[in-house]
Amino acid sequence: MAEAPARAGARQHPRADSREESNPLLYCALGLMVPGLGHIVLGRRGTGAVFLVCIGLLFVFGIGMEGELFPFEAAAPLTLLAGMAELGAGAFYVAARMLGLGAGNPEAPTYEYGYAFLIVAGLLNMLVVLDAWDIATGNKGSEEDGAAGGEASGPAR
Amino acid sequence: MSHFGALVLFAALVSPAFACLMREGWAARLRFTAWAFLSFVGFAVGIGWIMYLAGG
């Protein structure tokens, strides 16, 4: 009977204690910088890789479709919001800015698709960051990949 | 790239990300990815037909 608590404790993920000690904001910051990095550091490598590839390709295709990285203009609120959404792509956004990409070509047939891809990439990464927060704080993920025997990760509680 | 091509590409990239956000376990995620992808494409094609027929 006395072993029950010990067994329950033994099912915890080895990193659970270290997660509780570390700041969840760290994982969010990592995820915001590089899509999926927060999940990878949390031990969910497969999930993080999916986010990195999907968001990265969304951003790359958005640039390739001649989408625009919108400037931060306070006088144009919608443009400002679009720019902030695109900023959510983190390293991809910074790299595109540094390489001088994302000027956008409104005359291109794919211009609207392009900036839609860029905006969705940024917004999707913001959701991913919130997901990393939930995992790091133990609010989500007790059976990560258990059904298919995927990556080794477990509860953060 | 055609409209439909862009739609399919968008659905193919967004569906797995949503699946990883909303489901645990790779089997469930795979099912959700397929469901989301088909929903994206199906609803877009359906709405396209509705607009085509309504527009005469």
Side-chain angles (χ1 to χ4, degrees):
Chain A
M1 295 293 285
E3 291 180 12
R7 269 187 207 151
R11 291 186 62 191
Q12 279 195 330
H13 189 272
R15 297 187 187 189
D17 292 338
S18 60
R19 280 183 204 170
E20 287 168 2
E21 291 169 4
S22 59
N23 191 345
L25 284 174
L26 171 67
Y27 302 110
C28 293
L30 289 172
L32 201 56
M33 282 191 283
V34 178
L37 185 58
H39 286 74
I40 291 171
V41 174
L42 279 165
R44 299 191 171 199
R45 296 188 186 88
T47 305
V50 170
F51 290 138
L52 180 61
V53 170
C54 289
I55 293 172
L57 285 178
L58 267 175
F59 195 89
V60 169
F61 277 116
I63 292 291
M65 291 179 185
E66 301 188 70
E68 182 176 359
L69 292 175
F70 291 102
F72 299 101
E73 292 179 4
L78 290 179
T79 303
L80 178 66
L81 287 173
M84 290 173 66
E86 291 172 341
L87 186 60
F92 292 103
Y93 180 92
V94 174
R97 281 287 188 204
M98 290 178 70
L99 293 170
L101 302 172
N105 177 16
E107 294 181 0
T110 54
Y111 171 73
E112 283 85 3
Y113 292 119
Y115 73 66
F117 273 54
L118 294 172
I119 289 171
V120 170
L123 293 177
L124 198 54
N125 193 40
M126 291 180 190
L127 285 177
V128 170
V129 168
L130 291 176
D131 192 59
W133 170 273
D134 277 344
I135 295 167
T137 54
N139 291 324
K140 181 189 177 185
S142 59
E143 294 178 348
E144 166 77 352
D145 309 319
E151 59 205 35
S153 184
R157 294 188 192 104
Chain B
M1 180 177 286
S2 68
H3 293 264
F4 187 73
L7 164 69
V8 170
L9 180 63
F10 181 86
L13 292 174
V14 171
S15 299
F18 276 148
C20 286
L21 285 171
M22 299 177 69
R23 293 288 184 273
E24 295 291 333
W26 290 111
R29 286 173 175 177
L30 200 59
R31 284 194 299 273
F32 188 90
T33 297
W35 178 84
F37 177 80
L38 293 174
S39 297
F40 268 124
V41 176
F43 274 101
V45 170
I47 290 171
W49 270 103
I50 289 171
M51 288 194 293
Y52 173 74
L53 295 173

